[in-house]
Amino acid sequence: MKAVVQRRYGSAVLGDLDVPVPGPGEVLLEVRAAGVDMGTWHLLSGKPYLLRIIGFGFRGPKSPVPGRDVSGVVKEIGPGVTEFAPGDEVFGTCDGSFAEYAVAPVKQLARKPEGISFTEAAAVPISGGTALQGLRGVQPGQRVLVLGAGGGVGSYGVQIAKALGAHVTAVCSTSKLDLARSLGADEVVDYTVADFTGTYDLILSCGGDRPLSRLRRASTPRGRIVLVGAETGGSVTGGFERSLASVALNPFISQKFVPLMSAERADVFDELRVLIEAGKIKPPVDRTFPLSEAVNAIEYVYTRRSRGKVVVAI
């Protein structure tokens, strides 16, 4: 099979690998599309170095094929699998989705939503799942602030918060204002022109570097501030120290910081399927790249120019 092969951090090429064999609790997928997010860039580059220390491979990547978001068709099932059968269309996550075939655990797969393409489905799992988990507990009428609303997680955050009945303020760059409006934001703020104002019951901060003190000032006294990644912390920790600082603050403040480590689970993806089929959210796909240009897709996401999601079509 053709696959993007990564033997060391910092580079990857299109090559040939054997088709993998599913084990117990796994299925073999014929991959139709693979989503791209900042996590893909981190695992390709090996930065921040903290990722290597916590188990993703110290000298080189554990997985020879990058990519986690996936949509495709079940070709074979492993021992003990009863959830799916050959021919089923699914989406979810796995190791090595930048390939013509990939093995995926059934606990990380759900049936593909009806009415959308494989390309759109591959844009959903990680970013949509992160937004969904970050917005747990939002009540109708509450005020939600989404920072980074034009990116992967933020674009789902706007839609999911609206589906929950919240009043949503979206903050993004000039080129992404129209996207934020089209996703249903009640108010949009161009951070290159002016800062956001007001106070919010929940702040979903996606990949930014705003000081924790600034986020606290924008939160109601009992508000939640959900931190999703950080892209400006350097090569060693990548901003993770910001999350540690927020946890240390929690015992001493009335608000609650929530550094989010989202779970990749079938039940989360199934919730997203229901929302998609109900017309509550739509995968915002900016660009699609062929498998041969997967590294270019990753670099494009890294530039942060993408409006919504980027997908590799297989």
Side-chain angles (χ1 to χ4, degrees):
M1 68 174 185
K2 292 294 183 182
V4 176
V5 182
Q6 180 187 5
R7 300 299 186 188
R8 59 186 178 85
Y9 288 123
S11 68
V13 297
L14 188 66
D16 294 294
L17 293 176
D18 292 335
V19 175
V21 177
E26 297 177 332
V27 299
L28 175 67
L29 297 180
E30 180 184 289
V31 179
R32 298 294 180 83
V36 187
D37 62 8
M38 280 299 297
T40 312
W41 180 86
H42 288 303
L43 294 179
L44 177 67
S45 66
K47 298 177 182 178
Y49 298 125
L50 180 63
L51 287 175
R52 310 186 190 195
I53 297 171
I54 63 177
F56 287 94
F58 190 74
R59 295 185 179 276
K62 279 189 174 181
S63 175
V65 181
R68 294 199 54 76
D69 278 322
V70 69
S71 67
V73 179
V74 176
K75 298 300 289 183
E76 298 179 21
I77 61 173
V81 172
T82 58
E83 294 88 344
F84 301 109
D88 286 346
E89 298 179 350
V90 298
F91 78 124
T93 59
C94 67
D95 288 330
S97 61
F98 288 4
E100 292 177 325
Y101 294 91
V103 163
V106 296
K107 64 183 180 181
Q108 293 172 207
L109 294 175
R111 296 189 183 277
K112 184 179 80 68
E114 295 183 5
I116 66 171
S117 66
F118 283 105
T119 297
E120 291 173 308
V124 175
I126 293 177
S127 294
T130 300
L132 181 66
Q133 293 169 76
L135 292 165
R136 295 285 192 207
V138 169
Q139 300 298 313
Q142 288 189 322
R143 291 174 56 83
V144 171
L145 176 68
V146 180
L147 303 174
V153 176
S155 59
Y156 285 106
V158 170
Q159 296 180 82
I160 292 170
K162 285 300 298 179
L164 294 172
H167 180 281
V168 180
T169 298
V171 179
C172 55
S173 62
T174 309
S175 63
K176 302 178 183 182
L177 293 176
D178 287 344
L179 172 64
R181 292 188 184 97
S182 72
L183 297 175
D186 297 287
E187 301 176 50
V188 296
V189 177
D190 182 346
Y191 71 79
T192 69
V193 175
D195 201 4
F196 56 88
T197 59
T199 56
Y200 301 88
D201 300 289
L202 185 141
I203 299 173
L204 186 67
S205 178
C206 305
D209 62 347
R210 286 179 175 80
L212 300 180
S213 58
R214 175 67 182 99
L215 297 178
R216 284 190 60 204
R217 290 197 300 272
S219 174
T220 58
R222 296 291 177 181
R224 282 189 297 141
I225 305 164
V226 180
L227 304 177
V228 182
E231 306 301 339
T232 56
S235 296
V236 178
T237 63
F240 186 68
E241 68 276 4
R242 184 166 170 260
S243 293
L244 292 177
S246 74
V247 172
L249 273 175
N250 275 338
F252 308 103
I253 60 177
S254 60
Q255 298 104 338
K256 183 178 181 180
F257 281 105
V258 183
L260 185 61
M261 295 292 290
S262 63
E264 299 173 15
R265 300 195 314 262
D267 62 311
V268 173
F269 303 148
D270 208 48
E271 280 189 71
L272 293 167
R273 178 189 62 79
V274 171
L275 287 169
I276 292 168
E277 292 181 344
K280 298 293 182 66
I281 61 176
K282 180 177 176 57
V285 177
D286 173 26
R287 288 184 61 180
T288 302
F289 291 76
L291 182 61
S292 60
E293 297 179 16
V295 174
N296 293 337
I298 297 170
E299 291 298 329
Y300 178 64
V301 169
Y302 179 65
T303 66
R304 307 184 74 81
R305 298 197 309 269
S306 58
R307 300 170 71 254
K309 293 291 296 181
V310 173
V311 177
V312 173
I314 314 296

